[in-house]
Structure formats: structure tokens, C-alpha cells
Amino acid sequence: MPHSARSALTVKKLLDAYYDNSRADSLKPVSFGTSGHRGSSLGDSFNEGHILAISQAIHDFRQVNNITGPIFLGKDTHALSDPATRTALEVLAGNGLKVLIQENGLPTPTPVISRAILEFNRLGKGGRADGIVVTPSHNPPQDGGFKYNETHGGPAGTSTTSWIAKRANELMAGKNRGVKRVSLEKAVASGLVEEIDYIGPYCEALFQAVDVGAIASSGLKIGVDPMGGASLHYWKRLADKYLPGLTVVNDVVDPLFSFMPPDHDGQIRMDCSSPHAMKNLIALADKFDLAFANDVDADRHGIVTPAGLMNPNHFLAAAVRYLLEHRPGWSGKGMIGKTTVTTNMIDAVCRAAGRALYETPVGFKWFVDGLLKGSGNGLLFGGEESAGASFLRLDGTTWTTDKDGLLLCLLAAEMTAVTGKNPARLYAELTGEFGCRHYSRKDKAATQEQKAMLKRMTPESIKSRTVAKSTVVSVSGTAPGNGESIDGIKVVLEDGWFAMRPSGTEDLYKIYAESCTSAAHLEELLEEAGNEADKAFLAMRA
């Protein structure tokens, strides 16, 4: 946020607004995006009324679907996460549900909840478990978020979130009179809220997915910045117990993230893929062989070498090549998953390795089923351009079905330890083999009408046969991997591609583009893609 607004923000203001019952009639509806319901108490979009309703709706969804196991509940370090967690506990316990939370009130990363769900359900200890993570991810300090993970461990699918949102809005329309609630003290006394240790089991299990021993014995000097988020105590445990070369460079936890440099637009975001937000760690790059960071709920990764912050697409491509060459336990016909707006360098790597590519719409939920199947006929890896990914254990079985930023950071360390080359050097080898890729995203202002039209676009909406002097090879509104709508349009060219999608939360649409030719060609692509959108908008209005 701009400096003046940032200095005026206080935790008290956020909490007062969260609990302010006088705002009940002005609360905005519950709306689930790709990563749960998000908003701010100051904007009447993330208030106690929302969390009461969503928590009750999740209980009702569980009843309808005969989900009888415990709920694994995690939270991050945003100012609104603590009160929202308390509200959720009061409702879940009020409905007689068993809830498992981290002991001592510490935060819990998103991937840790995913793994805990999968492990419980694999062991079949009694009923199926699911989970909730209270987090707006890398969003600004004034935001809150509430995310539901299903029994498969991954983000809830569209049909599930639509059901929960509809039920929650019905409850809110009835002034939440249908919500069952007890005090937190009564919930704890009843034994329904149980504190457990998430940290130890997760850190110990990492040996099943990453060669932690190779990292420990390599002598690498590694720096990590948890960015004030939920990964802090996990990195401290790893440094203390397993990785002597690892240094936590920032152990500050501040619910307003006052230590963060502003992002490109002056907003504060804990975005580990942004060179602006990562300014503090980048400044330390020459002190380490490798450095990395996580966003606040640790489902994203940012990789820093002495040369600077890696583009997430570059790291994902290098990671895929490394994994395909260093995971002998991944037998079978497993595929590599990527979203439709992720670099086509991954396509080139897959072709060279003889591995099939599975391209999906944006959203990690599309990788869940494949990651569950394992290396036999599922997904070995799923990654998206916004620095989120996960992959299988060493033996080819499921690790998580949600993005795991800690896992990908440790993979970067393993890659460096095993090959003697950091991920940036490994990506440079890919460009020598397959040519350079120039990738960027541009946001353009859009009305609600334009955003709706973009979702309705078909291949026939793009009339041009050449764009930026490049021949159009194909136009599609669906992802080739699963045939699902990408909520926009993608144009593949002979030497690049571009895609356009509406934002789910802001009055803008996003243009993604990649050129296999030059940075200048990329800029031309971004400009002409916007022109193609304008022409399509005019035609659709006619």
C-alpha cells in the first residue's frame, strides 16, 4: 500500500472492523476465487460474519458428503488470521467437529496442511479428514483469506467452493442465525480442539521427497527469508537439526509486515517472485551460494542466486529437467503438469525427455488428481508461472496436492549440491540447448463488461492471422491437457504465444506473453495482444 495508507494502518483498526457488528448489513457476499475467499475487514469483505458463515457452511458440506474425520486447521501471520482462526474454531467445535491445530499458537503453512490430510487419510485412522488454511497468501497486510482443502489434500474444486459460498451467503442473509457456536474456552475444555506438532513430522518427512543429505554434506552457504510468514519455525528446525549451512536471514514476524519493501505499485505484498518485494534478500545474494524465500503461507518459492532473483518460469523449467534426470524411482508414464500461462521451455524439456505434458487452466486444483495417482500414470510435477509447484516423493508416490514452497526451495539446494551448478546456471544450459525465452505479464484496465466478454471469447474472436509479424498457429479457449476452459483465450504463434484472462478480484485483465525470438518481440506481442482484445470487444458489442 502507499506509504501514507501504510502508516495509518494498525492491527487495532483491522480487528475493530472485523468484530464490528454494526457493519453486518453492509457485508459483501462470500466469493471463492482460485485460492479461497479473500478480502479485508476495512472493506467489509473479510469480517466475523463471513467467517461464521463459511465455517458453518464447511460443516454442512461435510455432513452432506459424509466427511467424518478431523479438520486440520492452519493459519498464517496476517493480522486478520488470528481472529478468523478463533472464529472458525468456535463454529467448528460448536458443531461437534474435531479440529487439529499447531501447538503453542504457531502458524502452519498451506503445504503442511495438505500433507497432514493425505497422511491421515492414507493411514485410515478413522473417517476422512480435510482442512482449512486461514491465509490470503502473499496479499497485503490488511487482507484476510480463508481456504478449504478437500479430503484429497488439495484446494477445493469449483463445484465444492460454489456449494460452500452459496450456503454461506444463505446463512449471512439470515443474519447467521443458522450458525452453531461455542466460546473458544468451552471448545478447548471439551477436547474438540487438539494441539499437535506439525513442524517435526513435516521436516522429518522431507527426506522422502528431497535429498536433504546431499544438501547437508555439500558445504553450501544458504540463506532463507521466511518474509515474516508461516515457514519461519520450519526453516529454524531444518537449520538446527538437519542443515548446518542454512541461515535464516530474517526472523521478524510483524502482522503488518512493516519491514517489507514496497512492490512495483507501492503496495506491500509478500510476493517472493517480485524483485521489488525481494529487495532485502537480493541485497544479500553475494553472501550465499544460494538464497530463497517463501510467501506468508509458504506455498510459493523465490530463488536467488549470486546473479539475482530467478524468473519463476526459468526455475520451474530447470527444476523439471533436473527431476527427470535425478529421480530413478519415478517409473511409469507419469506426465509433467503446467498451467497454460507457464513457459513453453517446459514443453521443450518434456519433448527432449520423451515425457508427456499436461497443460491445464490457471489454478493448482487442476493438478490434484494427477499428483494423487503418482508416477505410474499421473503427474510427476505440477507447476504454475506464479512460483507455485509440487512434485512426488523419491519413490514416485504423492507428497502434497497443494503448492509447497519449502519443497521447491530445498529442491533448488539439492540441484546445486548434486550438480555443482546453481539453478540459474542450469537454466542457462537449457537456453543453450533450446534457445532463449522472453516472458512477461501486462495488466490492463477492464470494465466488468469487458471481463465478461473475455470469458466468452472463442477462437473465432481472434481474426488476425499474424500478430507481431508472427504467424498464428492456433487459437483456443480451453487447455489441451483436460479440455477445461481457461476463462479467456490463448494464441500460439510460430515463435511464441500470448494469452488473455480477466482478473478475478480487480478491474483489469491480464495479458501473458512469451517470445522465442527477442525481448523486443515480446514487447510487440504484449502491445498487439491488447489490440486484439480491443478488436474482439468491439466485434462482440456489434
Side-chain angles (χ1 to χ4, degrees):
M1 70 188 69
H3 178 73
S4 59
R6 181 179 178 182
S7 60
L9 184 68
T10 66
V11 172
K12 184 177 186 302
K13 284 185 180 180
L14 291 169
L15 298 192
D16 285 349
Y18 177 83
Y19 288 113
D20 185 358
N21 291 327
S22 69
R23 309 170 82 104
D25 291 333
S26 62
L27 295 185
K28 295 174 182 175
V30 169
S31 177
F32 278 78
T34 55
S35 297
H37 172 79
R38 293 183 184 178
S40 175
S41 61
L42 300 176
D44 296 335
S45 51
F46 193 89
N47 304 73
E48 187 180 42
H50 296 102
I51 308 308
L52 288 169
I54 298 172
S55 301
Q56 182 67 46
I58 288 174
H59 162 267
D60 296 350
F61 175 83
R62 286 167 54 93
Q63 273 201 321
V64 169
N65 291 277
N66 193 32
I67 301 171
T68 59
I71 294 181
F72 291 92
L73 177 60
K75 65 176 181 179
D76 73 10
T77 55
H78 276 78
L80 288 170
S81 294
D82 266 337
T85 298
R86 182 185 180 101
T87 302
L89 287 170
E90 291 173 348
V91 175
L92 298 173
N95 283 276
L97 301 184
K98 181 80 170 182
V99 188
L100 303 177
I101 61 173
Q102 169 63 38
E103 60 190 8
N104 301 318
L106 296 177
T108 308
T110 287
V112 175
I113 294 297
S114 177
R115 183 191 166 276
I117 294 168
L118 290 167
E119 189 67 8
F120 182 93
N121 292 339
R122 181 183 68 83
L123 296 174
K125 293 180 177 178
R128 293 177 299 154
D130 52 6
I132 294 169
V133 190
V134 185
T135 175
S137 189
H138 63 286
N139 276 29
Q142 67 269 26
D143 284 4
F146 205 82
K147 175 181 171 183
Y148 178 58
N149 280 36
E150 298 192 62
T151 56
H152 52 49
T158 303
S159 61
T160 295
T161 55
S162 296
W163 194 101
I164 292 172
K166 181 175 182 291
R167 175 60 179 145
N169 287 322
E170 290 172 351
L171 289 163
M172 287 177 61
K175 309 296 185 185
N176 279 331
R177 285 185 289 268
V179 174
K180 296 179 181 178
R181 181 184 192 182
V182 298
S183 69
L184 184 59
E185 293 72 21
K186 186 174 181 180
V188 171
S190 71
L192 289 171
V193 178
E194 181 182 346
E195 292 192 354
I196 64 172
D197 174 30
Y198 283 111
I199 301 172
Y202 174 86
C203 290
E204 291 165 12
L206 281 166
F207 284 82
Q208 301 168 9
V210 180
D211 192 347
V212 180
I215 302 170
S217 62
S218 66
L220 288 173
K221 293 174 60 181
I222 303 171
V224 58
D225 184 354
M227 300 182 89
S231 66
L232 172 62
H233 295 279
Y234 292 77
W235 289 119
K236 283 187 172 181
R237 179 70 62 88
L238 288 166
D240 291 344
K241 196 168 183 180
Y242 306 117
L243 298 173
L246 180 71
T247 301
V248 177
V249 302
N250 170 27
D251 62 0
V252 177
V253 176
D254 170 9
L256 296 182
F257 301 92
S258 58
F259 57 87
M260 282 294 301
D263 207 350
H264 64 92
D265 57 358
Q267 290 277 343
I268 295 300
R269 295 186 188 89
M270 287 56 70
D271 182 357
C272 49
S273 66
S274 164
H276 305 279
M278 288 281 279
K279 182 179 178 181
N280 292 340
L281 186 59
I282 294 171
L284 300 174
D286 60 351
K287 299 183 183 300
F288 298 100
D289 299 306
L290 183 72
F292 37 68
N294 297 123
D295 65 342
V296 189
D297 71 321
D299 69 346
R300 299 188 187 202
H301 58 273
I303 309 302
V304 177
T305 72
L309 176 67
M310 287 191 72
N311 181 301
N313 281 282
H314 296 178
F315 175 66
L316 292 180
V320 168
R321 164 59 71 88
Y322 175 84
L323 287 168
L324 291 177
E325 293 179 346
H326 293 83
R327 291 296 186 268
W330 289 3
S331 57
K333 298 180 179 180
M335 299 178 289
I336 297 296
K338 74 160 198 173
T339 59
T340 194
V341 295
T342 303
T343 178
N344 70 4
M345 181 66 89
I346 293 177
D347 305 44
V349 170
C350 287
R351 283 193 297 270
R355 284 284 180 178
L357 182 74
Y358 183 72
E359 185 175 319
T360 74
V362 172
F364 205 81
K365 63 186 178 183
W366 301 111
F367 300 135
V368 170
D369 289 343
L371 290 170
L372 281 173
K373 291 177 182 177
S375 63
N377 61 349
L379 290 179
L380 308 170
F381 172 98
E384 52 189 16
E385 99 297 338
S386 56
S390 190
F391 54 87
L392 301 180
R393 301 174 196 240
L394 296 167
D395 65 2
T397 59
T398 308
W399 170 250
T400 60
T401 47
D402 212 329
K403 296 173 285 191
D404 192 336
L406 293 100
L407 181 74
L408 270 293
C409 288
L410 287 172
L411 176 64
E414 180 193 324
M415 292 162 67
T416 308
V418 171
T419 68
K421 304 169 186 175
N422 66 47
R425 289 182 59 195
L426 293 174
Y427 181 75
E429 292 180 356
L430 292 182
T431 64
E433 187 174 347
F434 303 116
C436 290
R437 299 295 192 278
H438 304 271
Y439 179 102
S440 187
R441 190 187 97 186
K442 181 179 181 180
D443 295 345
K444 294 197 69 173
T447 63
Q448 289 297 316
E449 178 195 23
Q450 289 172 324
K451 290 169 65 176
M453 285 192 292
L454 192 52
K455 280 192 173 188
R456 297 198 308 271
M457 277 190 190
T458 65
E460 291 72 33
S461 301
I462 303 298
K463 305 296 185 184
S464 301
R465 293 300 92 199
T466 60
V467 177
K469 305 181 185 67
S470 298
T471 302
V472 173
V473 175
S474 66
V475 184
S476 178
T478 58
N482 57 12
E484 296 285 347
S485 171
I486 63 173
D487 287 338
I489 210 81
K490 182 174 182 179
V491 179
V492 177
L493 309 168
E494 59 184 352
D495 53 2
W497 60 268
F498 68 87
M500 301 179 290
R501 298 176 58 252
S503 168
T505 57
E506 300 176 84
D507 291 332
L508 53 85
Y509 71 93
K510 305 172 184 180
I511 302 174
Y512 307 81
E514 185 170 50
S515 170
C516 303
T517 304
S518 67
H521 182 240
L522 171 63
E523 290 305 313
E524 194 175 355
L525 266 181
L526 289 166
E527 183 66 26
E528 293 202 19
N531 295 338
E532 293 297 321
D534 291 339
K535 288 188 284 186
F537 292 153
L538 285 172
M540 293 174 79
R541 285 197 190 99

